[in-house]
mmCIF file of all heavy atoms in Angstrom:
data_model
loop_
_atom_site.group_PDB
_atom_site.id
_atom_site.type_symbol
_atom_site.label_atom_id
_atom_site.label_comp_id
_atom_site.label_asym_id
_atom_site.label_seq_id
_atom_site.Cartn_x
_atom_site.Cartn_y
_atom_site.Cartn_z
ATOM 1 N N ALA A 340 -27.698 16.427 -55.392
ATOM 2 C CA ALA A 340 -26.665 17.170 -54.616
ATOM 3 C C ALA A 340 -27.236 17.422 -53.211
ATOM 4 O O ALA A 340 -28.378 17.578 -53.011
ATOM 5 C CB ALA A 340 -26.372 18.508 -55.313
ATOM 6 N N LEU A 341 -26.290 17.441 -52.278
ATOM 7 C CA LEU A 341 -26.637 17.731 -50.901
ATOM 8 C C LEU A 341 -26.690 19.231 -50.647
ATOM 9 O O LEU A 341 -25.877 19.936 -51.100
ATOM 10 C CB LEU A 341 -25.634 17.142 -49.935
ATOM 11 C CG LEU A 341 -25.553 15.547 -49.901
ATOM 12 C CD1 LEU A 341 -24.515 15.098 -48.968
ATOM 13 C CD2 LEU A 341 -26.911 14.974 -49.390
ATOM 14 N N MET A 342 -27.703 19.676 -49.929
ATOM 15 C CA MET A 342 -27.831 21.104 -49.604
ATOM 16 C C MET A 342 -26.831 21.460 -48.414
ATOM 17 O O MET A 342 -26.878 20.816 -47.388
ATOM 18 C CB MET A 342 -29.232 21.444 -49.159
ATOM 19 C CG MET A 342 -29.417 22.893 -48.878
ATOM 20 S SD MET A 342 -29.038 24.030 -50.320
ATOM 21 C CE MET A 342 -29.043 25.643 -49.506
ATOM 22 N N PRO A 343 -25.890 22.413 -48.706
ATOM 23 C CA PRO A 343 -24.948 22.668 -47.617
ATOM 24 C C PRO A 343 -25.636 23.279 -46.443
ATOM 25 O O PRO A 343 -26.630 23.978 -46.503
ATOM 26 C CB PRO A 343 -24.024 23.688 -48.246
ATOM 27 C CG PRO A 343 -24.193 23.491 -49.730
ATOM 28 C CD PRO A 343 -25.575 23.080 -49.932
ATOM 29 N N GLN A 344 -25.134 22.979 -45.207
ATOM 30 C CA GLN A 344 -25.617 23.617 -43.957
ATOM 31 C C GLN A 344 -24.694 24.667 -43.469
ATOM 32 O O GLN A 344 -25.109 25.547 -42.654
ATOM 33 C CB GLN A 344 -25.789 22.524 -42.924
ATOM 34 C CG GLN A 344 -26.732 21.389 -43.314
ATOM 35 C CD GLN A 344 -28.113 21.871 -43.597
ATOM 36 O OE1 GLN A 344 -28.685 22.592 -42.772
ATOM 37 N NE2 GLN A 344 -28.726 21.464 -44.705
ATOM 38 N N GLN A 345 -23.371 24.690 -43.933
ATOM 39 C CA GLN A 345 -22.410 25.580 -43.550
ATOM 40 C C GLN A 345 -21.650 26.061 -44.753
ATOM 41 O O GLN A 345 -21.624 25.328 -45.803
ATOM 42 C CB GLN A 345 -21.424 24.998 -42.516
ATOM 43 C CG GLN A 345 -22.154 24.508 -41.275
ATOM 44 C CD GLN A 345 -21.191 23.722 -40.358
ATOM 45 O OE1 GLN A 345 -20.040 24.059 -40.320
ATOM 46 N NE2 GLN A 345 -21.690 22.840 -39.659
ATOM 47 N N LEU A 346 -21.073 27.219 -44.740
ATOM 48 C CA LEU A 346 -20.464 27.813 -45.926
ATOM 49 C C LEU A 346 -19.305 26.935 -46.447
ATOM 50 O O LEU A 346 -19.211 26.776 -47.652
ATOM 51 C CB LEU A 346 -19.881 29.172 -45.582
ATOM 52 C CG LEU A 346 -19.440 30.012 -46.780
ATOM 53 C CD1 LEU A 346 -20.621 30.328 -47.723
ATOM 54 C CD2 LEU A 346 -18.764 31.326 -46.381
ATOM 55 N N GLU A 347 -18.521 26.332 -45.597
ATOM 56 C CA GLU A 347 -17.385 25.484 -46.116
ATOM 57 C C GLU A 347 -17.865 24.291 -46.892
ATOM 58 O O GLU A 347 -17.102 23.670 -47.638
ATOM 59 C CB GLU A 347 -16.415 25.078 -44.911
ATOM 60 C CG GLU A 347 -17.097 24.368 -43.853
ATOM 61 C CD GLU A 347 -17.571 25.281 -42.698
ATOM 62 O OE1 GLU A 347 -17.924 26.427 -43.032
ATOM 63 O OE2 GLU A 347 -17.549 24.814 -41.581
ATOM 64 N N GLN A 348 -19.158 23.873 -46.691
ATOM 65 C CA GLN A 348 -19.705 22.826 -47.398
ATOM 66 C C GLN A 348 -20.129 23.086 -48.872
ATOM 67 O O GLN A 348 -20.597 22.207 -49.550
ATOM 68 C CB GLN A 348 -20.940 22.211 -46.641
ATOM 69 C CG GLN A 348 -20.497 21.619 -45.283
ATOM 70 C CD GLN A 348 -21.756 21.267 -44.436
ATOM 71 O OE1 GLN A 348 -22.859 21.692 -44.677
ATOM 72 N NE2 GLN A 348 -21.575 20.648 -43.286
ATOM 73 N N LEU A 349 -19.874 24.375 -49.267
ATOM 74 C CA LEU A 349 -20.146 24.662 -50.675
ATOM 75 C C LEU A 349 -19.147 23.876 -51.612
ATOM 76 O O LEU A 349 -19.408 23.857 -52.777
ATOM 77 C CB LEU A 349 -19.824 26.172 -50.884
ATOM 78 C CG LEU A 349 -20.963 27.131 -50.380
ATOM 79 C CD1 LEU A 349 -20.561 28.545 -50.728
ATOM 80 C CD2 LEU A 349 -22.294 26.822 -50.964
ATOM 81 N N ALA A 350 -18.178 23.324 -51.072
ATOM 82 C CA ALA A 350 -17.297 22.414 -51.853
ATOM 83 C C ALA A 350 -18.099 21.263 -52.398
ATOM 84 O O ALA A 350 -17.783 20.733 -53.440
ATOM 85 C CB ALA A 350 -16.108 21.874 -50.958
ATOM 86 N N TRP A 351 -19.184 20.837 -51.695
ATOM 87 C CA TRP A 351 -20.023 19.792 -52.197
ATOM 88 C C TRP A 351 -20.683 20.193 -53.598
ATOM 89 O O TRP A 351 -20.959 19.300 -54.422
ATOM 90 C CB TRP A 351 -21.188 19.513 -51.252
ATOM 91 C CG TRP A 351 -20.853 19.127 -49.896
ATOM 92 C CD1 TRP A 351 -19.596 18.730 -49.481
ATOM 93 C CD2 TRP A 351 -21.648 18.946 -48.741
ATOM 94 N NE1 TRP A 351 -19.595 18.437 -48.171
ATOM 95 C CE2 TRP A 351 -20.873 18.477 -47.643
ATOM 96 C CE3 TRP A 351 -23.041 19.164 -48.541
ATOM 97 C CZ2 TRP A 351 -21.361 18.232 -46.398
ATOM 98 C CZ3 TRP A 351 -23.510 18.960 -47.259
ATOM 99 C CH2 TRP A 351 -22.698 18.491 -46.245
ATOM 100 N N LEU A 352 -20.829 21.516 -53.783
ATOM 101 C CA LEU A 352 -21.471 21.977 -55.054
ATOM 102 C C LEU A 352 -20.410 22.416 -56.078
ATOM 103 O O LEU A 352 -20.758 23.049 -57.074
ATOM 104 C CB LEU A 352 -22.398 23.199 -54.691
ATOM 105 C CG LEU A 352 -23.467 22.952 -53.674
ATOM 106 C CD1 LEU A 352 -24.324 24.123 -53.490
ATOM 107 C CD2 LEU A 352 -24.230 21.749 -53.979
ATOM 108 N N GLY A 353 -19.144 22.108 -55.759
ATOM 109 C CA GLY A 353 -18.083 22.412 -56.764
ATOM 110 C C GLY A 353 -17.389 23.703 -56.636
ATOM 111 O O GLY A 353 -16.627 24.092 -57.444
ATOM 112 N N VAL A 354 -17.699 24.432 -55.555
ATOM 113 C CA VAL A 354 -17.048 25.795 -55.363
ATOM 114 C C VAL A 354 -15.643 25.555 -54.758
ATOM 115 O O VAL A 354 -15.429 24.690 -53.816
ATOM 116 C CB VAL A 354 -17.873 26.650 -54.322
ATOM 117 C CG1 VAL A 354 -17.209 27.995 -54.146
ATOM 118 C CG2 VAL A 354 -19.263 26.842 -54.874
ATOM 119 N N SER A 355 -14.628 26.191 -55.281
ATOM 120 C CA SER A 355 -13.273 25.933 -54.844
ATOM 121 C C SER A 355 -13.008 26.542 -53.419
ATOM 122 O O SER A 355 -13.783 27.419 -53.012
ATOM 123 C CB SER A 355 -12.299 26.576 -55.747
ATOM 124 O OG SER A 355 -12.418 27.973 -55.863
ATOM 125 N N ALA A 356 -11.998 26.029 -52.813
ATOM 126 C CA ALA A 356 -11.649 26.576 -51.425
ATOM 127 C C ALA A 356 -11.307 28.008 -51.478
ATOM 128 O O ALA A 356 -11.624 28.773 -50.499
ATOM 129 C CB ALA A 356 -10.529 25.704 -50.805
ATOM 130 N N ALA A 357 -10.620 28.434 -52.526
ATOM 131 C CA ALA A 357 -10.233 29.840 -52.635
ATOM 132 C C ALA A 357 -11.456 30.754 -52.763
ATOM 133 O O ALA A 357 -11.510 31.868 -52.202
ATOM 134 C CB ALA A 357 -9.299 30.069 -53.855
ATOM 135 N N ASN A 358 -12.467 30.301 -53.540
ATOM 136 C CA ASN A 358 -13.634 31.110 -53.723
ATOM 137 C C ASN A 358 -14.519 31.099 -52.427
ATOM 138 O O ASN A 358 -15.158 32.168 -52.100
ATOM 139 C CB ASN A 358 -14.462 30.624 -54.928
ATOM 140 C CG ASN A 358 -13.890 31.076 -56.198
ATOM 141 O OD1 ASN A 358 -13.004 31.904 -56.249
ATOM 142 N ND2 ASN A 358 -14.283 30.358 -57.304
ATOM 143 N N ILE A 359 -14.505 29.989 -51.707
ATOM 144 C CA ILE A 359 -15.198 29.938 -50.437
ATOM 145 C C ILE A 359 -14.645 30.935 -49.498
ATOM 146 O O ILE A 359 -15.380 31.711 -48.756
ATOM 147 C CB ILE A 359 -15.191 28.520 -49.847
ATOM 148 C CG1 ILE A 359 -16.001 27.528 -50.717
ATOM 149 C CG2 ILE A 359 -15.652 28.488 -48.411
ATOM 150 C CD1 ILE A 359 -15.950 26.098 -50.261
ATOM 151 N N ALA A 360 -13.291 30.982 -49.345
ATOM 152 C CA ALA A 360 -12.640 31.947 -48.543
ATOM 153 C C ALA A 360 -12.916 33.398 -48.947
ATOM 154 O O ALA A 360 -13.086 34.299 -48.085
ATOM 155 C CB ALA A 360 -11.132 31.686 -48.526
ATOM 156 N N LEU A 361 -13.028 33.674 -50.247
ATOM 157 C CA LEU A 361 -13.394 34.984 -50.742
ATOM 158 C C LEU A 361 -14.758 35.389 -50.440
ATOM 159 O O LEU A 361 -15.041 36.527 -50.074
ATOM 160 C CB LEU A 361 -13.099 35.024 -52.272
ATOM 161 C CG LEU A 361 -13.246 36.321 -52.936
ATOM 162 C CD1 LEU A 361 -12.139 37.305 -52.368
ATOM 163 C CD2 LEU A 361 -13.077 36.207 -54.449
ATOM 164 N N LEU A 362 -15.694 34.421 -50.467
ATOM 165 C CA LEU A 362 -17.104 34.741 -50.207
ATOM 166 C C LEU A 362 -17.462 34.738 -48.677
ATOM 167 O O LEU A 362 -18.468 35.271 -48.315
ATOM 168 C CB LEU A 362 -18.020 33.689 -50.881
ATOM 169 C CG LEU A 362 -17.976 33.656 -52.405
ATOM 170 C CD1 LEU A 362 -18.748 32.431 -52.906
ATOM 171 C CD2 LEU A 362 -18.708 34.954 -52.915
ATOM 172 N N ALA A 363 -16.571 34.157 -47.848
ATOM 173 C CA ALA A 363 -16.889 33.912 -46.440
ATOM 174 C C ALA A 363 -17.362 35.214 -45.694
ATOM 175 O O ALA A 363 -18.331 35.177 -44.891
ATOM 176 C CB ALA A 363 -15.697 33.293 -45.735
ATOM 177 N N PRO A 364 -16.748 36.379 -45.875
ATOM 178 C CA PRO A 364 -17.171 37.503 -45.143
ATOM 179 C C PRO A 364 -18.534 38.114 -45.620
ATOM 180 O O PRO A 364 -19.137 38.913 -44.837
ATOM 181 C CB PRO A 364 -16.071 38.567 -45.333
ATOM 182 C CG PRO A 364 -14.935 37.773 -45.859
ATOM 183 C CD PRO A 364 -15.507 36.680 -46.587
ATOM 184 N N TYR A 365 -19.028 37.678 -46.706
ATOM 185 C CA TYR A 365 -20.159 38.261 -47.292
ATOM 186 C C TYR A 365 -21.359 37.314 -47.622
ATOM 187 O O TYR A 365 -22.445 37.791 -47.924
ATOM 188 C CB TYR A 365 -19.811 38.918 -48.605
ATOM 189 C CG TYR A 365 -18.488 39.800 -48.517
ATOM 190 C CD1 TYR A 365 -17.347 39.363 -49.231
ATOM 191 C CD2 TYR A 365 -18.421 40.882 -47.741
ATOM 192 C CE1 TYR A 365 -16.178 40.036 -49.115
ATOM 193 C CE2 TYR A 365 -17.225 41.569 -47.610
ATOM 194 C CZ TYR A 365 -16.132 41.181 -48.326
ATOM 195 O OH TYR A 365 -14.934 41.884 -48.220
ATOM 196 N N VAL A 366 -21.176 36.002 -47.428
ATOM 197 C CA VAL A 366 -22.237 35.083 -47.784
ATOM 198 C C VAL A 366 -22.394 34.070 -46.658
ATOM 199 O O VAL A 366 -21.438 33.759 -46.005
ATOM 200 C CB VAL A 366 -21.756 34.267 -49.150
ATOM 201 C CG1 VAL A 366 -22.792 33.222 -49.439
ATOM 202 C CG2 VAL A 366 -21.741 35.297 -50.319
ATOM 203 N N THR A 367 -23.560 33.610 -46.480
ATOM 204 C CA THR A 367 -23.815 32.576 -45.426
ATOM 205 C C THR A 367 -24.895 31.616 -45.979
ATOM 206 O O THR A 367 -25.423 31.769 -47.008
ATOM 207 C CB THR A 367 -24.365 33.239 -44.154
ATOM 208 O OG1 THR A 367 -24.448 32.305 -43.100
ATOM 209 C CG2 THR A 367 -25.720 33.872 -44.366
ATOM 210 N N VAL A 368 -25.117 30.570 -45.233
ATOM 211 C CA VAL A 368 -26.119 29.573 -45.516
ATOM 212 C C VAL A 368 -26.983 29.421 -44.287
ATOM 213 O O VAL A 368 -26.552 28.964 -43.230
ATOM 214 C CB VAL A 368 -25.512 28.144 -45.828
ATOM 215 C CG1 VAL A 368 -26.577 27.183 -46.231
ATOM 216 C CG2 VAL A 368 -24.466 28.342 -46.942
ATOM 217 N N LEU A 369 -28.239 29.854 -44.411
ATOM 218 C CA LEU A 369 -29.233 29.752 -43.337
ATOM 219 C C LEU A 369 -30.262 28.689 -43.625
ATOM 220 O O LEU A 369 -30.449 28.285 -44.798
ATOM 221 C CB LEU A 369 -29.888 31.114 -43.069
ATOM 222 C CG LEU A 369 -28.939 32.241 -42.703
ATOM 223 C CD1 LEU A 369 -29.747 33.571 -42.531
ATOM 224 C CD2 LEU A 369 -28.225 31.903 -41.421
ATOM 225 N N PRO A 370 -31.013 28.169 -42.632
ATOM 226 C CA PRO A 370 -31.983 27.167 -42.916
ATOM 227 C C PRO A 370 -33.227 27.559 -43.774
ATOM 228 O O PRO A 370 -33.890 26.753 -44.273
ATOM 229 C CB PRO A 370 -32.444 26.755 -41.523
ATOM 230 C CG PRO A 370 -31.357 27.180 -40.564
ATOM 231 C CD PRO A 370 -30.835 28.467 -41.188
ATOM 232 N N GLU A 371 -33.386 28.850 -43.879
ATOM 233 C CA GLU A 371 -34.577 29.347 -44.650
ATOM 234 C C GLU A 371 -34.204 30.724 -45.258
ATOM 235 O O GLU A 371 -33.132 31.350 -44.941
ATOM 236 C CB GLU A 371 -35.767 29.508 -43.654
ATOM 237 C CG GLU A 371 -35.518 30.530 -42.532
ATOM 238 C CD GLU A 371 -36.722 30.634 -41.620
ATOM 239 O OE1 GLU A 371 -37.750 29.951 -41.878
ATOM 240 O OE2 GLU A 371 -36.585 31.363 -40.621
ATOM 241 N N ARG A 372 -35.178 31.197 -46.048
ATOM 242 C CA ARG A 372 -34.962 32.527 -46.668
ATOM 243 C C ARG A 372 -35.015 33.590 -45.534
ATOM 244 O O ARG A 372 -35.880 33.598 -44.698
ATOM 245 C CB ARG A 372 -36.009 32.801 -47.658
ATOM 246 C CG ARG A 372 -35.898 34.167 -48.382
ATOM 247 C CD ARG A 372 -36.814 34.238 -49.586
ATOM 248 N NE ARG A 372 -36.527 35.473 -50.365
ATOM 249 C CZ ARG A 372 -37.072 35.758 -51.476
ATOM 250 N NH1 ARG A 372 -37.965 34.927 -52.037
ATOM 251 N NH2 ARG A 372 -36.771 36.930 -52.106
ATOM 252 N N ALA A 373 -34.071 34.559 -45.543
ATOM 253 C CA ALA A 373 -34.034 35.550 -44.490
ATOM 254 C C ALA A 373 -33.544 36.812 -45.147
ATOM 255 O O ALA A 373 -32.572 36.846 -45.935
ATOM 256 C CB ALA A 373 -33.145 35.160 -43.375
ATOM 257 N N PRO A 374 -34.045 37.992 -44.746
ATOM 258 C CA PRO A 374 -33.614 39.265 -45.369
ATOM 259 C C PRO A 374 -32.243 39.707 -44.789
ATOM 260 O O PRO A 374 -31.820 39.261 -43.727
ATOM 261 C CB PRO A 374 -34.684 40.267 -44.903
ATOM 262 C CG PRO A 374 -35.255 39.717 -43.686
ATOM 263 C CD PRO A 374 -35.133 38.154 -43.808
ATOM 264 N N VAL A 375 -31.619 40.658 -45.478
ATOM 265 C CA VAL A 375 -30.331 41.227 -45.157
ATOM 266 C C VAL A 375 -30.621 42.340 -44.146
ATOM 267 O O VAL A 375 -31.417 43.185 -44.382
ATOM 268 C CB VAL A 375 -29.542 41.698 -46.377
ATOM 269 C CG1 VAL A 375 -28.269 42.436 -45.908
ATOM 270 C CG2 VAL A 375 -29.179 40.529 -47.276
#
Side-chain angles (χ1 to χ4, degrees):
L341 294 174
M342 181 61 189
Q344 303 298 314
Q345 302 172 29
L346 190 66
E347 55 267 33
Q348 295 170 350
L349 286 181
W351 299 351
L352 305 182
V354 182
S355 67
N358 286 345
I359 292 175
L361 187 62
L362 293 170
Y365 315 113
V366 175
T367 188
V368 182
L369 299 179
E371 61 181 357
R372 184 169 185 173
V375 174

